[in-house]
Amino acid sequence: MKKFIFVLLALVVLAVSVPVFAEGELIGVAMPTNSLQRWNQDGNNMKTQLEKAGYKVILEFANNDVALQISQLENMILNDVKLLVVASIDGGALGDVLKTAKDNGIPVIAYDRLITGTEYVDYYTSFDNYRVGKFQGDYIVKALDLENAAGPFNIEFFGGSPDDNNAHLFYQGAIDVLQPYLDSGKLVCPSGQIDFNTVAILGWGTDDAQARMDNLINSYYADGKTKLDVVLSPNDSLALGIANSLKAAGFTLDNWPIITGQDCDIPNTINLIQGYQAMSVFKDTRTLAERTVKMASQILNGEEVEVNNTTDYDNGVKVVPSYLCDPVVVDKSNYKEMLIDSGYYTEDQIAVK
Ligand code: BGC
C-alpha cells in the first residue's frame, strides 16, 4: 500500500512539473522574402526553435509578392495549422485571409511587422521600432557633435517601404531627433526631400536606393563644392545601395558621409569595419524567434501570454498586445562583442577579403 501511494505521489509530482507540450501540432510561419539575409535567418530560427519545442512547421517565403503570401497563408489554413506567425509584406493586405484563419479558430502572431486594418491579429512580437529610428538620429547628433558644432551639415534622407508599418516608425524616431537641428539650420537638406513619402523606397530594394542616391548626387552634389555629410538610411539593404552609388560616383573614405543602417547584414558589417557605413542597429533574430516561440506555446497551451506593451501598436482597428525586444547600436567600437562574441557571426563570415 505504501509503495502504491508513493508511486501515485510520484506520478502527481511528475504531472504538475512537466510542461504540457502540444506535441506535434502544426504551426505556419510566413516570411516576406528569402532574398534578404534577415528574413532567411528569422525563418530558419523560427523553424529550428519551434521544432525543438516539439511543433511541426510549414515555413514559406513569399518573394515580396503580396498575392503569393496570401495564397501561402490560405494553404497553411487548409493544412489545418494550429497557429500562424506572419511577417507581412503589405501589413494592410491580409484582412480577408486572416478572417478565414479566425473562422477556423487559428490564432495569429504578427512577426516583426504589425498587421494593420484588421481585428484578426492576436499578438505582435518585434523590436522597439521607434527606438531603432531614434538610435539612428542620436548617432548622427553625436557623430557631428550637433550640440556644439556650428554646422551647417548637409544631410539626405531615405525612408523604408511605405506598406511596412515599421518604416513609418523608424522614420518618425529619427526625424523627432533631427528636426530641431533642421529647424535651427545646423542640418540642411540640399535636395529639400524630407517628407517620408518622397524619400520612401517601396519594397526596401538595394537597387532602388542606389538609383535614388545616383539622382541625388547628380542633381545636388555634382558641383564639386557641396559636401554630403550624412545620409539617414533606415536599414542595411538601403545603406548598401547608397554606398554602392557613392563608390560609383567616386566618393572615397576622405569625403565619405556618415551612413546609418539596421540589421547588421554581412556586407554592411564589412562596410562598417572598412568605414563605408558608420553604424547599424543590431536586432538579434535569435531573440525574436525565442520570444515568438514562447508566445506561440503560451497561446496554444492556454497560458497567460507575456507581453510588455499594450499601448503603442494601434493597427487602426485595435491596439495589438505586443512584446518588444531591445535593439542595440553597433559600430566599429563594439561590433566584435555584439556580433562575434555573441556567436551571431564567425570571424570568417565578416572578414574583409
Ligand atoms: C524590418 C527591418 C528590415 C526591413 C526590410 C523591416 O520591417 O524591421 O529589420 O530591414 O523590414 O526587410
Side-chain angles (χ1 to χ4, degrees):
M1 185 62 180
K2 253 189 184 164
K3 199 173 166 195
F4 173 73
I5 291 176
F6 179 76
V7 171
L8 200 71
L9 265 175
L11 279 174
V12 170
V13 169
L14 203 71
V16 290
S17 60
V18 173
V20 198
F21 275 128
E23 198 65 55
E25 279 180 342
L26 188 61
I27 294 183
V29 178
M31 289 285 145
T33 174
N34 57 5
S35 67
L36 259 198
Q37 187 193 323
R38 83 148 288 186
W39 302 114
N40 273 310
Q41 283 169 341
D42 284 281
N44 292 319
N45 287 337
M46 280 300 298
K47 187 169 183 318
T48 311
Q49 294 189 27
L50 280 171
E51 286 174 349
K52 214 163 142 201
Y55 297 103
K56 290 188 189 128
V57 179
I58 306 179
L59 168 63
E60 296 284 8
F61 296 90
N63 203 18
N64 271 337
D65 176 339
V66 179
L68 179 59
Q69 184 164 64
I70 291 171
S71 84
Q72 289 173 340
L73 290 168
E74 284 165 353
N75 274 329
M76 290 174 185
I77 296 169
L78 284 176
N79 274 293
D80 208 18
V81 292
K82 293 292 174 277
L83 183 135
L84 284 171
V85 175
V86 187
S88 55
I89 298 161
D90 180 344
L94 301 179
D96 288 347
V97 67
L98 295 189
K99 163 131 190 9
T100 313
K102 178 72 184 174
D103 292 345
N104 285 276
I106 302 167
V108 176
I109 301 176
Y111 182 95
D112 194 76
R113 297 172 170 172
L114 186 64
I115 295 171
T116 52
T118 171
E119 67 188 272
Y120 307 117
V121 50
D122 299 283
Y123 293 98
Y124 177 48
T125 51
S126 188
F127 288 83
D128 186 334
N129 296 297
Y130 179 83
R131 193 132 66 93
V132 169
K134 197 174 165 309
F135 280 169
Q136 294 166 340
D138 285 341
Y139 196 93
I140 291 170
V141 170
K142 223 171 134 201
L144 293 176
D145 191 19
L146 287 178
E147 286 287 294
N148 303 302
F153 298 100
N154 290 333
I155 182 167
E156 293 298 338
F157 294 90
F158 280 73
S161 193
D163 53 2
D164 178 350
N165 188 64
N166 289 350
H168 300 267
L169 296 171
F170 300 147
Y171 204 67
Q172 199 56 52
I175 284 291
D176 283 352
V177 174
L178 298 176
Q179 190 65 51
Y181 300 101
L182 287 164
D183 293 343
S184 72
K186 278 196 186 182
L187 282 178
V188 173
C189 177
S191 72
Q193 298 174 16
I194 302 181
D195 169 61
F196 174 78
N197 288 314
T198 312
V199 304
I201 301 289
L202 181 67
W204 294 100
T206 299
D207 292 349
D208 292 335
Q210 182 165 350
R212 176 161 183 265
M213 192 69 230
D214 287 348
N215 277 332
L216 290 171
I217 294 171
N218 291 336
S219 312
Y220 303 98
Y221 297 90
D223 60 2
K225 281 183 279 179
T226 314
K227 182 164 185 276
L228 176 60
D229 297 295
V230 197
V231 184
L232 173 81
S233 166
N235 87 332
D236 281 359
S237 62
L238 303 195
L240 195 62
I242 293 161
N244 291 344
S245 165
L246 290 164
K247 279 182 192 165
F251 281 74
T252 65
L253 287 179
D254 291 335
N255 62 349
W256 200 261
I258 293 163
I259 304 176
T260 58
Q262 119 175 248
D263 294 333
C264 294
D265 285 348
I266 288 174
N268 299 75
T269 305
I270 293 172
N271 270 354
L272 194 128
I273 297 167
Q274 291 185 309
Y276 293 113
Q277 184 169 325
M279 63 85 79
S280 191
V281 179
F282 180 42
K283 305 194 299 184
D284 193 328
T285 52
R286 296 168 301 187
T287 313
L288 185 57
E290 229 168 77
R291 175 47 58 184
T292 312
V293 170
K294 193 164 181 186
M295 190 179 258
S297 84
Q298 286 169 339
I299 297 171
L300 290 172
N301 290 333
E303 292 164 7
E304 192 182 326
V305 178
E306 240 179 298
V307 291
N308 64 6
N309 187 303
T310 51
T311 49
D312 292 346
Y313 284 88
D314 187 334
N315 79 346
V317 175
K318 68 182 208 186
V319 176
V320 184
S322 307
Y323 196 102
L324 305 180
C325 305
D326 290 327
V328 182
V329 172
V330 164
D331 67 5
K332 231 175 174 166
S333 69
N334 68 345
Y335 80 90
K336 276 200 175 131
E337 181 195 339
M338 299 314 303
L339 304 176
I340 295 177
D341 299 351
S342 76
Y344 201 68
Y345 293 139
T346 61
E347 294 251 15
D348 194 49
Q349 275 177 296
I350 56 170
V352 179
K353 287 178 183 140

